[in-house]
Amino acid sequence: MSQVVVASNRGPVSFSLSDDGALTMRRGGGGLVSGLAGVASGQDVLWVCASLGEADRTAARRAPDGRIDLAGHDTGGAAVRMLDIPAATFHRAYNAVANSTLWFVHHLLYDTPRSPHFDARARRDWQSYEAYNAAFADALARDAAQGAKAAIQDYHLSLAPRMLRERRPDLKIVHFSHTPWAPPEYFRLLPDDIGAQILQGILGADHAGFLTERWASAFLDCCEAVLGARVDRAARTVTCGGHTTRVGVHGLGVDGTELRQRAAQRDVAERARALREQVGDRQLIVRIDRTELSKNIVRGLAAYREMLVNHPEWRGRVVHLAFAYPSRYDLPEYREYTAAVQRMAKQITEEFGTATWEPLILQVNDDYPRSLAAYGLADVLLVNPIRDGMNLVAKEGPVLSERGCALVLSREAGAAAELSEDALMVNPFDVSQTAETLHQALLMPRDERAERCARLASAATALPPGRWFADQLAALD
């Protein structure tokens, strides 16, 4: 029995399966894992997560009732129940609904003349999303102690709070959205009943958390416009169906101490030396992203190209290091986007490259130590998403910068709410503006750059993951 139960699609561990059937476990990453570590030592925690692939499902089947920690695996002190959700159900819930529908709505990504297209197949997919959420609600209801706190994370589990409340009305429930939230006019692209279910699902929680005031306000607007719920914006509450949900804002920063300790390890230093040899004494523009549609990599590369066209004095004097790690490659939109990134990169290299200068280095394999090394060496960090819940890259870079980097930041990133005063802000759709801003960032005096970077690092570490997670639990009191 547990005093705090946590639910998220991705858990603190994952598995791979060798040819001989042996399981290898690796620890999870990201803000949620770090945040939980800060509270797990002080109280009983059970983490419920989904099996993401066949190796995870094998591990869940071999463990007693899916309890990975009871099977002898090191889960960092937390009890972990991994749910063996049928592969077809998981695929439809995760890829067809969460990633291809809800993600697209909240990030405003649809090409509306052609999509979305909600038909009979979409309804079948939605049934799988309901079943996936119900599996989580069942597990949480079974495992939670009387009066325990349940922290349900992200858009994958929008229905789970209401389902859990119906099963266990004694629990205190918080739901946290890591994505932006769509304004009502865009949210209404969803079928009417599905949009209402999503809102009602989250309103099953006692507390609904968001990363910024902007996303919280959009949620309140949707509750009022779509559900006709009673919204008190001063108190930030929503009353619907006789239940009142408080809405809160919990910004997420980075753990500066932990990040710097990791960056000080030998593998990072080795990659930093290799990068410096590759770049030489040229200035370095860095971006680090998944090839995710919302990250706006193609326009960022186009802006770099336009800067080289309009300011030829930078040719031979600057290198753009672009980390673009493949993401959601089983979705056709993402495969095409990755190909578009590669086409733009090839165009830049062929147009400007010389025997002695490589203007662009595109890295497509995930190499975390190399990313940390790049943060330290960057003169300019480019973070230009179309729309983003937070974007921790904008916070990690200044924390690890060795000489003080200039941050070129999209006004549509959630991090803009905290970093706009010292970043150079851009409209992510304006390639020419971004090109000129990159030029200005490279020209910025080193003293000014260092002062801005220090203030950015201070803001980035003001709300570390441990505090972020603890604040969600405290809101239930």
Side-chain angles (χ1 to χ4, degrees), residues 330-351:
D330 45 354
L331 299 178
E333 299 94 336
Y334 286 81
R335 292 195 295 273
E336 168 52 32
Y337 192 73
T338 299
V341 169
Q342 293 169 330
R343 287 194 297 270
M344 178 60 73
K346 182 179 180 182
Q347 178 183 346
I348 292 170
T349 299
E350 291 179 349
E351 186 173 357

Side-chain angles (χ1 to χ4, degrees), residues 64-398:
D65 201 22
R67 280 286 298 275
I68 301 301
D69 55 304
L70 299 182
H73 299 290
D74 178 12
T75 57
V80 177
R81 185 179 303 286
M82 190 171 279
L83 302 181
D84 180 14
I85 296 172
T89 300
F90 177 84
H91 171 77
R92 289 192 289 264
Y94 180 71
N95 284 321
V97 177
N99 288 345
S100 295
T101 303
L102 301 184
W103 181 273
F104 272 57
V105 167
H106 288 314
H107 290 83
L108 315 186
L109 292 177
Y110 277 121
D111 178 11
T112 52
R114 284 182 281 271
S115 61
H117 185 86
F118 296 112
D119 54 11
R121 180 175 181 175
R123 291 291 171 176
R124 183 202 65 183
D125 295 337
W126 180 251
Q127 290 174 350
S128 291
Y129 184 76
E130 291 175 316
Y132 165 90
N133 274 257
F136 273 87
D138 289 340
L140 293 170
R142 180 181 60 177
D143 288 320
Q146 186 72 22
K149 295 178 178 180
I152 300 173
Q153 301 291 316
D154 224 0
Y155 64 104
H156 311 91
L157 295 170
S158 298
L159 306 182
R162 183 184 178 94
M163 291 177 170
L164 181 58
R165 179 162 300 284
E166 292 170 348
R167 290 159 172 77
R168 290 289 304 274
D170 61 293
L171 301 182
K172 297 178 178 179
I173 304 169
V174 59
H175 181 276
F176 192 86
S177 295
H178 294 256
T179 64
W181 195 272
E185 59 272 18
Y186 206 90
F187 188 81
R188 279 178 155 159
L189 289 177
L190 292 169
D192 293 351
D193 59 324
I194 288 177
Q197 277 185 260
I198 289 169
L199 294 170
Q200 291 164 348
I202 292 176
L203 292 176
D206 298 287
H207 187 84
F210 297 87
L211 287 164
T212 72
E213 292 281 355
R214 184 180 178 188
W215 312 142
S217 294
F219 176 75
L220 293 175
D221 292 343
C222 284
C223 290
E224 187 173 60
V226 176
L227 297 180
R230 189 168 77 249
V231 173
D232 184 334
R233 284 179 172 75
R236 271 206 305 227
T237 60
V238 181
T239 301
C240 184
H243 178 71
T244 297
T245 301
R246 295 182 303 277
V247 174
V249 175
H250 308 280
L252 176 60
V254 299
D255 186 325
T257 300
E258 181 180 287
L259 191 62
R260 292 183 184 104
Q261 288 175 346
R262 178 64 185 90
Q265 293 181 18
R266 179 180 298 177
D267 57 349
V268 177
E270 290 171 350
R271 286 161 175 78
R273 282 194 294 271
L275 282 174
R276 181 47 67 198
E277 289 178 6
Q278 195 171 9
V279 174
D281 60 357
R282 301 178 179 93
Q283 291 209 61
L284 183 63
I285 299 172
V286 171
R287 79 167 304 132
I288 298 173
D289 282 307
R290 295 176 293 113
T291 49
E292 211 292 312
L293 304 181
S294 67
K295 300 300 183 182
N296 207 25
I297 299 171
V298 173
R299 287 191 187 92
L301 293 176
Y304 177 62
R305 177 192 171 276
E306 188 164 315
M307 186 195 77
L308 295 178
V309 169
N310 294 340
H311 300 281
E313 66 271 23
W314 287 116
R315 298 177 194 177
R317 296 176 51 213
V318 66
V319 172
H320 186 10
L321 177 60
F323 293 85
Y325 305 139
S327 176
R328 300 173 182 170
Y329 214 66
D330 45 354
L331 299 178
E333 299 94 336
Y334 286 81
R335 292 195 295 273
E336 168 52 32
Y337 192 73
T338 299
V341 169
Q342 293 169 330
R343 287 194 297 270
M344 178 60 73
K346 182 179 180 182
Q347 178 183 346
I348 292 170
T349 299
E350 291 179 349
E351 186 173 357
F352 299 105
T354 68
T356 58
W357 175 50
E358 190 176 5
L360 174 68
I361 303 169
L362 178 66
Q363 171 122 3
V364 295
N365 60 305
D366 192 352
D367 187 337
Y368 184 59
R370 198 174 195 217
S371 295
L372 297 180
Y375 283 141
L377 298 176
D379 294 289
V380 177
L381 180 65
L382 174 60
V383 183
N384 69 318
I386 293 170
R387 190 170 166 90
D388 214 318
M390 178 54 65
N391 202 311
L392 290 177
V393 168
K395 297 187 173 186
E396 292 169 345

Side-chain angles (χ1 to χ4, degrees), residues 380-454:
V380 177
L381 180 65
L382 174 60
V383 183
N384 69 318
I386 293 170
R387 190 170 166 90
D388 214 318
M390 178 54 65
N391 202 311
L392 290 177
V393 168
K395 297 187 173 186
E396 292 169 345
V399 170
L400 294 183
S401 178
E402 294 175 0
R403 297 178 298 170
C405 69
L407 173 62
V408 176
L409 180 63
S410 165
R411 67 190 186 196
E412 297 301 316
E418 300 160 56
L419 306 182
S420 59
E421 287 190 15
D422 289 295
L424 301 178
M425 305 303 296
V426 295
N427 173 349
F429 300 98
D430 191 336
V431 171
S432 295
Q433 181 199 50
T434 304
E436 284 305 304
T437 305
L438 289 172
H439 171 61
Q440 293 302 321
L442 291 168
L443 291 175
M444 185 182 293
R446 191 162 295 280
D447 288 348
E448 180 185 352
R449 191 186 296 178
E451 290 169 2
R452 284 175 178 254
C453 186

Side-chain angles (χ1 to χ4, degrees), residues 8 10-14 26-35 47 258 368:
S8 64
R10 186 179 301 275
V13 296
S14 62
R26 59 183 181 273
R27 297 294 298 274
L32 181 59
V33 175
S34 300
W47 195 326
E258 181 180 287
Y368 184 59

